[in-house]
């Protein structure tokens, strides 16, 4: 996993679902597996959408992998209307 690889490289890694942790992250890796619609619903429920958008708009280091990158899109053919 990405987490295990970063730890093996000696990185200080924090997994979080807290909006304030997103805002204070030095680098944000956002991996993902699953469906766009359910992922976006979870991000909304945990109030992470706006902190993620603000982080990216600020030009801070971000790597979205698979679904993690798709969450940056305005919509998805996979989940129409989301």
């Amino acid at each position: 996993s990405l987490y295990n690889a970063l730890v093996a490289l000696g990185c200080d890694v924090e997994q979080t679902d807290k909006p304030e942790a997103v805002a204070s992250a030095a680098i944000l890796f956002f991996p993902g597996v699953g469906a766009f619609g359910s992922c976006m619903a979870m991000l909304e429920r945990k109030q992470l959408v706006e902190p993620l958008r603000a982080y990216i708009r600020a030009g801070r280091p971000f790597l979205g992998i698979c679904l993690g990158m798709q969450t940056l899109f305005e919509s998805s053919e996979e989940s129409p209307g989301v």
Side-chain angles (χ1 to χ4, degrees):
S1 75
L2 177 60
Y3 176 86
N4 290 334
L6 292 170
V7 168
L9 291 170
C11 298
D12 181 22
V13 180
E14 176 184 351
Q15 293 180 322
T16 187
D17 63 356
K18 307 277 187 274
E20 60 274 9
V22 170
S24 65
I27 301 171
L28 190 58
F29 293 94
F30 198 54
V33 174
F36 181 84
S38 59
C39 179
M40 292 306 296
M42 182 273 306
L43 291 174
E44 289 283 353
R45 191 171 50 255
K46 294 184 181 234
Q47 300 178 340
L48 290 166
V49 173
E50 284 309 314
L52 285 168
R53 287 180 178 159
Y55 184 96
I56 293 163
R57 275 193 302 262
R60 299 177 67 198
F62 175 85
L63 176 62
I65 301 170
C66 197
L67 183 59
M69 182 59 103
Q70 292 176 38
T71 60
L72 301 181
F73 301 159
E74 291 180 11
S75 63
S76 170
E77 291 183 10
E78 176 184 309
S79 300
V82 174

